[in-house]
Amino acid sequence: MRAVVQRVNGASVTIEGAVTGKIEKGYMVLLGIHENDTEKDLDYICDKLLNIRIFEDEEGKMNRSILDVGGAILLVSQFTLCGDARKGRRPGFSHAARPEKAIPLYEEAIRRLRESLPVETGEFGADMQVALVNDGPVTILLDSERTF
């Protein structure tokens, strides 16, 4: 499971001209679910999202989590994060989880995160337009396989 986490001052997702999710201070998270992902991968990603310290404290050091600052998450599924572009010129997506596996994991991520903070979402599989104001900018890559 992979996540691109952007610390934002605001973010929104629009589908067919209608805003379906909108947050102020928090994280814009793009979540890619791999065909081999399990609850263990979900545990890792959710724990990191809630506890990684990338908000500044009073001394300007990244020492506060999203929970510490009362932020929110805009969570958007993105199968292209599982793309493989090592060969050729067009990425392959054969390792991205099929919807029957990915949707339950995505929905469980939403449920778990909502136990701790506000979570807005896009719509799985929809054509979405995402807008954000990256704060910093701060962007962190998470991978449950810990490849980076």
Side-chain angles (χ1 to χ4, degrees):
M1 194 170 292
R2 290 186 172 164
V4 175
V5 183
Q6 295 180 289
R7 187 179 75 185
V8 298
N9 287 326
S12 65
V13 61
T14 302
I15 301 170
E16 296 180 5
V19 174
T20 62
K22 184 176 181 178
I23 65 165
E24 293 183 13
K25 183 176 190 164
Y27 298 154
M28 168 62 226
V29 178
L30 303 173
L31 184 67
I33 301 171
H34 189 274
E35 65 183 349
N36 295 329
D37 284 340
T38 66
E39 292 280 328
K40 182 179 172 189
D41 299 284
L42 187 60
D43 293 343
Y44 176 83
I45 293 294
C46 288
D47 179 67
K48 281 291 190 181
L49 289 174
L50 293 173
N51 296 298
I52 194 167
R53 298 181 307 179
I54 60 174
F55 286 95
E56 294 175 353
D57 64 15
E58 57 281 343
E59 295 176 12
K61 296 194 188 282
M62 283 195 240
N63 205 23
R64 290 190 174 150
S65 73
I66 193 166
L67 297 173
D68 295 331
V69 301
I73 292 177
L74 177 59
L75 186 67
V76 175
S77 64
Q78 179 141 15
F79 80 95
T80 60
L81 290 178
C82 297
D84 185 346
R86 292 176 291 180
K87 289 184 174 181
R89 299 189 185 272
R90 184 176 56 165
F93 302 105
S94 61
H95 295 295
R98 304 284 311 147
E100 55 272 11
K101 178 173 186 167
I103 291 171
L105 286 171
Y106 174 65
E107 290 175 349
E108 179 63 11
I110 295 166
R111 187 194 68 72
R112 288 185 189 187
L113 294 169
R114 280 186 175 154
E115 290 176 354
S116 300
L117 47 72
V119 177
E120 295 286 320
T121 67
E123 180 182 320
F124 191 93
D127 181 17
M128 297 175 271
Q129 287 69 52
V130 177
L132 62 99
V133 177
N134 194 320
D135 178 24
V138 174
T139 302
I140 302 292
L141 304 176
L142 300 176
D143 186 308
S144 62
E145 294 290 319
R146 297 169 180 88
T147 58
F148 48 79

